[in-house]
Amino acid sequence: MPAFPRFAPQEAHHLPEAFYNIKADLPEPPPPALHPGTRQPLTAADWSPVFSRGFIEHEMSRERFIPIPEEVRKAMALYRPTPLVYASGLRDALGTPAHIFYKYEGAGPMGSHKSNTALVQAYLATRDGLTTLVTETGAGQWGSALAHAGALFGIKVKVFMVRVSYRQKPGRRTLMEMFGAEVDESPSPKTRFGRTLYEKDPDHPGSLGIAISEALEVALKGTNSRYSLGSVLDAVLMHQSVIGLEAESQMADYGISPDTVIGCVGGGSNFGGLAFPFIRRRLAGGPATRFLAVEPEACPSLTKGELRYDHGDAAGMTPLIFMHTLGMDFVPAPIHAGGLRYHGMAPLVSRLAAQGIVEPQAVSTKTVFDAARLFYKAEGILPAPESAHAVAAAIAEALEAKRLGREKIILFGLSGHGFLDLNAYAANGKN
Ligand SMILES: *Cc1c(COP(=O)(O)O)cnc(C)c1O
């Protein structure tokens, strides 16, 4: 195999013109979302009080390719294409014959992949004449990505932030407020559902499910406001396909494609975004690429959860979604990977795991932080604790290749940087 340069070409033409929608290629799509009251499949009319019209069109579409609006492509061009890095430092550190590449989404404006869908959602909302988007955030990456996108496209953003994270990471709040967003600790006294918990315990740590219920309640109360979600939904995974489409085209410049694709999974969006364009090839009879979805042992929705209908929030307000779930009232231990502490998993990722195309893996906190420190020293980038789950699996794959003496090609998603997660690193060992 040739010697690979450190950075793959990063040219305007690598940024795709259209999103890839894997639903067009699934022999059997996942069962539809159901109305929480009637338990009938949801129609566009049912969705319309919740999401913008443009977003609903994306969510329901079965088209294989959906054009990226010109305004969104222009906004994405501020940071895309993102780097496809040849992990030469990590390869040397491991002494492996494997070729390891990572797609570095930490180069995005708020340091994670979340801006890819935030920009689309903010644009669609303004195009549909809305004035406000309401959302929740766990660790703060999603809230800050939507706050940034809202500021760019001129739409008001309100964020309910899970209380434990809000107190652990006050800097994230500052970032959101600098973009003009309104930020509340959740559970808050501002909503009917939040008050039921807040009045019993003003220090209630909160959860993503609770914050979603509060955001939905406020979005539904407003006249020109809608709700916005940063993961799980089909449309969000489709927006994230820019990651995999770029990687595919950057690797094609070398005449290669990956043997193994790895991503961390919280709701499943960065993994789906990276993997789906490559899964398309496998579904079409192409190479037998492996796809590893890596989650924390402390929140093991794919490896331990049940595949069934469940609500997306804690109050039972959202539609019933057919997915791998730990149960809507599951409150995970406070691990330092806020973005991976969700009880459910994207229906599309759940379906591909049930088909055996996606291989789920759960890793321990210690394995994750050891991997992150090794990566930091070898590559000079501190991974987000979420992304470090993918790093850990990539290292294990590279060491397996070493044992077998194989020169295989590994591609993993480095979904974000960890330079705002130093508390987590301080709390999890030294070197
Ligand atoms: C939010 C987040 C995740 C988890 O969300 P997915 O939808 O599974 O991608 C992973 N990594 C980072 C850096 C995040 O911010």
Side-chain angles (χ1 to χ4, degrees), residues 282-343:
R282 178 160 156 190
L283 290 171
T289 311
R290 291 178 64 210
F291 300 94
L292 309 184
V294 192
E295 63 185 8
E297 279 177 354
C299 193
S301 54
L302 264 185
T303 50
K304 297 267 173 67
E306 294 172 40
L307 184 57
R308 61 173 168 86
Y309 274 109
D310 196 11
H311 291 285
D313 67 333
M317 289 168 69
T318 73
L320 287 156
I321 301 169
F322 195 75
M323 61 181 176
H324 274 280
T325 175
L326 295 161
M328 64 192 254
D329 41 20
F330 178 79
V331 178
I335 54 161
H336 286 280
L340 306 185
R341 299 179 63 217
Y342 184 61
H343 68 271

Side-chain angles (χ1 to χ4, degrees), residues 195-414:
R195 267 195 303 278
T196 62
L197 302 163
Y198 180 84
E199 279 166 7
K200 269 185 238 141
D201 178 9
D203 291 317
H204 190 297
S207 74
L208 218 41
I210 295 168
I212 293 176
S213 303
E214 292 204 85
L216 255 177
E217 192 181 318
V218 170
L220 290 169
K221 249 192 335 228
T223 43
N224 247 333
S225 64
R226 292 291 186 281
Y227 172 65
S228 176
L229 187 63
S231 186
V232 181
L233 298 173
D234 300 356
V236 175
L237 274 60
M238 181 180 83
H239 300 155
Q240 293 295 354
S241 68
V242 293
I243 305 172
L245 292 167
E246 275 181 14
E248 188 183 31
S249 128
Q250 286 169 307
M251 290 182 111
D253 285 355
Y254 296 139
I256 58 167
S257 69
D259 298 304
T260 309
V261 177
I262 302 170
C264 66
V265 283
S269 74
N270 87 87
F271 170 78
L274 177 68
F276 286 2
F278 295 102
I279 292 182
R280 177 183 181 215
R281 297 174 165 206
R282 178 160 156 190
L283 290 171
T289 311
R290 291 178 64 210
F291 300 94
L292 309 184
V294 192
E295 63 185 8
E297 279 177 354
C299 193
S301 54
L302 264 185
T303 50
K304 297 267 173 67
E306 294 172 40
L307 184 57
R308 61 173 168 86
Y309 274 109
D310 196 11
H311 291 285
D313 67 333
M317 289 168 69
T318 73
L320 287 156
I321 301 169
F322 195 75
M323 61 181 176
H324 274 280
T325 175
L326 295 161
M328 64 192 254
D329 41 20
F330 178 79
V331 178
I335 54 161
H336 286 280
L340 306 185
R341 299 179 63 217
Y342 184 61
H343 68 271
M345 179 57 59
L348 287 168
V349 173
S350 297
R351 155 63 48 134
L352 288 158
Q355 274 178 253
I357 292 172
V358 166
E359 301 171 39
Q361 269 184 14
V363 287
S364 73
T365 302
K366 173 157 179 10
T367 307
V368 166
F369 279 94
D370 287 350
R373 275 190 290 271
L374 173 62
F375 185 84
Y376 178 54
K377 285 186 223 163
E379 291 287 313
I381 295 174
L382 189 66
E386 292 88 349
S387 320
H389 289 68
V391 175
I395 289 175
E397 281 293 296
L399 290 176
E400 175 67 4
K402 177 178 176 177
R403 200 177 63 78
L404 300 171
R406 291 232 182 97
E407 223 182 313
K408 72 170 165 182
I409 299 173
I410 299 168
L411 168 64
F412 74 89
L414 193 65

